[in-house]
Amino acid sequence: MTGRTERADRLPPPDGAEHWWQSRPVRWSAAAGVLLAVGFASEQLTAAPAWIVTAAYVVAALVGARFFAVEALTELARERKIGIELLMTTAAAIAGVLGMWEEAAALAFLYSISEALEEFTEDRTRGAIRRLMDLAPKRVRRLDAAGAETEVGLEELAVADRFVVRPGETVATDGTVLEGVSAVNEAAVTGENVPVEKEPGTLVFAGTLNTTGALIVKATATVEHNTLAKIVHLVTEAQERKGRGELFMTRFARLYSPAVLALGVLVAVAGGILTADWTTWLTRAAVVLVAAAPCALVISIPITYVAAMGRAGRRGVLIKGGVHLEELAKVTVVALDKTGTITANRPRLVAAHPAAGVSEAGLLRLAAAAEARSEHPLAKAVLAAAGDRGIDVPTVDEFTALPGAGARARLDGRRLLVGSPALMTSRSIALDQFTGVVTGLQDQAATAIVLAETGPDGERVLGVLGIADTIREEASAAIAALRHHGVDRVVILTGDNTRAARVISDQVGADEYYAELKPQDKATAVAGLQAEHGHVAMVGDGINDAPALAAADVGIAMGAAGSDVAIETADVALMGDDLDTLAEAVRIGRRTRTVVRQNVTLGLAILTVLVPGALLGVLSLPAAVLAHEITEILVIANGVRMARA
């Protein structure tokens, strides 16, 4: 049991059993139990010959020990390691040599059934990730240049190919909707069961379920590189990354198991020499081997971690290893990037203040024309506002982007300058009459965009637009939930101005904010929070927040579906675009720590009771085996609760 994760290469492949009675190891162990019962019944209830009773016990012992004895000997021969399986095999062999075949059969049955149930439980818990790949269809309807449908294998679909997704079908791979409107259930990716409306221009992800309308989708990833494949890759890697507690238990078992075997040899040899009663002391040595085997202690952490990460994955939280699960449990401070985390990263026009005889529609028309060729999110908000109001946006004759400040454009001979108040000040364009407007917008957490006209006769301000991002509806509740789950402090980090940061912080109930930060400044702020308050989790988009994500004890990428950068940068990826899952991640981390402590305490407690009892001869071999295996089953059952916690 101690080496199941390490010896994965030697284990038989998963048999795909959905129920315990379908598992091959469980069936073999059950057969050993039946033979044990036959032997016991023949001995107690009938006048069967002794050789029949003995034969039933011998076969039961061999059948029960079939898997763990071979595993123990293989490990000893190939890796020169002594594991728990060897302790149990040695104890069963001693019982057999002494003619105690009933005890040997009981040991083999009880140990093998707990081993088999543990393997089935782990495999079923991990099986959810294997079944993820089955969500994508094996065949897909690809469209050729003429629009004709051809059914091809999923592996034949290339980037930029068009394919059809009908109602009730699963999306084959990631793509952009070209035609059609539908609601898509993205629970397989984000953990959120509420269908998301899709229309031309929106993204769809592999493994999600199309519900209402037909869609034509342009593939943006192959089957090997789509969101589903990335999730499988991420979770598979996570299962291999052990936490510090798991690593300690692995090292402990490597040293402890040989020590137990040495203790058993010492008990047998010393007791036999001193008393000349070799049978009694060999029996006691076998009991010591069973009683001191740390199965429950060693399995207490990995079984809990596997179940917890499986639960988190189903809720759209991908945790990249046990070490990050441990860190989540220790978090006392959560630092949140503002844009895209606290806010939805969907800027919109919230105010328009025209001047110089320009109407509101005229101001928006000119500003949209000047911004039409810009890729900046604020420019897109201006264009979206013009489109919503049915304003016809003309094409400018010239366009020059001013990175980080704004843009210049020429329209019908008029030279337009659009950008921040700082840009206007740097060009000596007076904003005296708009000082109150700009300050008022900033007090509302809005960004001021100034439109000015320049020319030989001087410059004049045509007006000011206010653009604001939308605070996520769930932001305040999510921050309250973080505090409920034990987070002491919530901090907002942003590159925005101080007034906007203060307003957002007050609206969502954060404890503190840091404004006007560059990416490297956010990392410095995280380091300061760690020094002052302890363990810090940083939540961002995984791109411009990468330095801060790396500096934090736990880096958490928000809205990681389809984002390679977010997945690679962070320790935890929130696949959905929902801040509520952040509190869920912290809750799972805290709950996992509690369950691990319960399991470790139980594992240690059983050792402190069984080992002295074995050394003093109080325990019989069957009693030691029964107590040992009942404890292990209790630990497994407690750990598996995390799959539903």
Side-chain angles (χ1 to χ4, degrees):
M1 292 193 186
T2 61
R4 172 157 292 114
T5 302
E6 299 171 75
R7 296 190 299 272
D9 58 315
R10 299 206 306 271
L11 288 176
D15 53 17
E18 287 292 326
H19 305 285
W20 62 266
W21 59 82
Q22 296 173 324
S23 170
R24 191 162 54 98
V26 171
R27 289 200 298 266
W28 274 88
S29 183
V34 170
L35 290 167
L36 176 63
V38 168
F40 182 81
S42 299
E43 183 178 21
Q44 301 295 326
L45 305 177
T46 69
W51 69 268
I52 292 180
V53 175
T54 301
Y57 287 144
V58 170
V59 176
L62 294 176
V63 169
R66 178 178 182 269
F67 288 111
F68 69 81
V70 171
E71 189 175 347
L73 297 175
T74 302
E75 184 181 55
L76 182 63
R78 291 184 180 178
E79 302 177 26
R80 303 292 189 270
K81 291 181 181 178
I82 296 173
I84 295 174
E85 289 80 6
L86 186 61
L87 302 182
M88 293 299 187
T89 302
T90 303
I94 291 173
V97 168
L98 296 176
M100 302 166 59
W101 286 108
E102 180 178 359
E103 286 80 357
L107 186 156
F109 164 64
L110 290 171
Y111 184 69
S112 67
I113 193 65
S114 65
E115 178 101 331
L117 289 175
E118 176 196 332
E119 182 176 330
F120 168 75
T121 301
E122 283 194 22
D123 188 55
R124 188 176 182 187
T125 302
R126 297 175 189 268
I129 191 62
R130 289 194 297 269
R131 289 192 293 272
L132 263 180
M133 292 307 296
D134 295 332
L135 291 176
K138 305 303 180 187
R139 310 283 292 176
V140 60
R141 296 181 183 87
R142 184 172 62 188
L143 296 176
D144 60 21
E149 290 185 22
T150 305
E151 189 172 291
V152 298
L154 180 57
E155 66 282 356
E156 297 180 46
L157 198 65
V159 173
D161 281 351
R162 296 178 302 151
F163 62 96
V164 178
V165 187
R166 295 177 178 172
E169 293 182 343
T170 302
V171 178
T173 192
D174 296 357
T176 303
V177 176
L178 297 178
E179 298 179 26
V181 176
S182 183
V184 176
N185 188 322
E186 297 183 340
V189 172
T190 67
E192 181 58 55
N193 284 307
V194 178
V196 179
E197 294 297 324
K198 300 294 180 180
E199 59 187 18
T202 56
L203 300 177
V204 290
F205 304 110
T208 57
L209 180 64
N210 184 28
T211 61
T212 54
L215 299 173
I216 295 179
V217 179
K218 179 181 178 181
T220 57
T222 62
V223 64
E224 295 88 0
H225 300 99
N226 61 31
T227 296
L228 211 56
K230 286 187 288 187
I231 294 174
V232 171
H233 174 71
L234 176 60
V235 177
T236 301
E237 279 194 342
Q239 292 173 345
E240 298 302 320
R241 295 176 183 169
K242 295 183 177 181
R244 284 181 284 270
E246 289 180 279
L247 291 172
F248 171 79
M249 283 300 178
T250 300
R251 292 192 295 268
F252 169 78
R254 287 177 180 173
L255 297 174
Y256 182 81
S257 295
V260 170
L261 186 60
L263 176 62
V265 172
L266 179 64
V267 168
V269 173
I273 291 174
L274 292 175
T275 65
D277 185 358
W278 288 96
T279 298
T280 296
W281 286 98
L282 279 171
T283 302
R284 191 170 296 183
V287 177
V288 168
L289 294 181
V290 173
C295 285
L297 189 60
V298 171
I299 198 62
S300 61
I301 296 178
I303 194 71
T304 307
Y305 281 5
V306 168
M309 287 190 287
R311 167 65 175 173
R314 288 192 297 275
R315 295 300 302 271
V317 180
L318 298 187
I319 302 171
K320 297 170 68 173
V323 64
H324 307 305
L325 190 62
E326 292 173 350
E327 290 296 338
L328 276 173
K330 301 175 185 176
V331 166
T332 56
V333 179
V334 173
L336 299 153
D337 174 54
K338 181 180 75 69
T339 304
T341 304
I342 293 293
T343 64
N345 200 18
R346 290 191 291 269
R348 59 187 178 86
L349 181 72
V350 295
H353 299 275
V358 178
S359 67
E360 184 174 315
L363 173 63
L364 194 53
R365 176 178 177 273
L366 292 173
E371 297 272 36
R373 297 181 186 177
S374 174
E375 293 297 321
H376 197 281
L378 297 181
K380 293 180 179 179
V382 173
L383 289 166
D388 291 342
R389 300 184 187 190
I391 297 174
D392 183 27
V393 179
T395 302
V396 297
D397 303 317
E398 294 178 5
F399 173 83
T400 303
L402 304 174
R408 287 199 309 263
R410 186 165 64 86
L411 176 65
D412 298 332
R414 302 175 68 179
R415 296 191 177 276
L416 303 175
L417 181 66
V418 61
S420 65
L423 173 65
M424 302 301 158
T425 301
S426 69
R427 301 298 175 95
S428 300
I429 298 175
L431 295 175
D432 296 343
Q433 69 184 100
F434 292 100
T435 301
V437 171
V438 171
T439 302
L441 289 173
Q442 291 177 342
D443 287 341
Q444 299 172 38
T447 300
I449 295 179
V450 181
L451 178 66
E453 183 178 4
T454 64
D457 299 329
E459 298 84 16
R460 61 171 183 159
V461 176
L462 302 181
V464 176
L465 300 175
I467 307 294
D469 202 351
T470 305
I471 296 177
R472 293 179 183 273
E473 294 181 1
E474 74 276 11
S476 297
I479 289 175
L482 285 172
R483 291 198 177 92
H484 176 73
H485 295 308
V487 173
D488 298 328
R489 197 166 190 81
V490 178
V491 180
I492 293 176
L493 307 182
T494 180
D496 209 341
N497 64 77
T498 301
R499 287 193 182 92
R502 182 178 63 247
V503 172
I504 295 291
S505 179
D506 291 342
Q507 287 180 352
V508 300
D511 298 290
E512 191 177 0
Y513 62 87
Y514 293 78
E516 301 178 12
L517 301 177
K518 295 181 176 65
Q520 59 269 29
D521 297 332
K522 292 182 181 180
T524 302
V526 167
L529 290 170
Q530 289 170 319
E532 186 174 355
H533 300 290
H535 283 70
V536 176
M538 172 66 196
V539 188
D541 61 14
I543 302 173
N544 59 354
D545 296 312
L549 290 169
D553 296 285
V554 186
I556 302 175
M558 181 76 184
S563 172
D564 288 324
V565 176
I567 289 179
E568 292 300 327
T569 303
D571 306 314
V572 177
L574 307 181
M575 299 307 292
D577 200 27
D578 186 350
L579 203 56
D580 285 335
T581 54
L582 174 60
E584 178 70 3
V586 173
R587 187 191 71 81
I588 289 174
R590 295 278 205 275
R591 180 62 177 154
T592 301
R593 179 175 60 182
T594 299
V595 172
V596 164
R597 286 175 174 174
Q598 292 170 348
N599 281 348
V600 169
T601 300
L602 182 58
L604 289 172
I606 197 65
L607 288 178
T608 59
V609 172
L610 292 185
V611 173
L615 290 171
L616 296 173
V618 176
L619 290 175
S620 65
L621 185 58
V625 174
L626 187 61
H628 181 278
E629 302 313 324
I630 287 176
T631 304
E632 184 175 0
I633 289 172
L634 289 175
V635 165
I636 292 172
N638 194 39
V640 169
R641 284 194 306 128
M642 281 306 305
R644 302 181 300 274

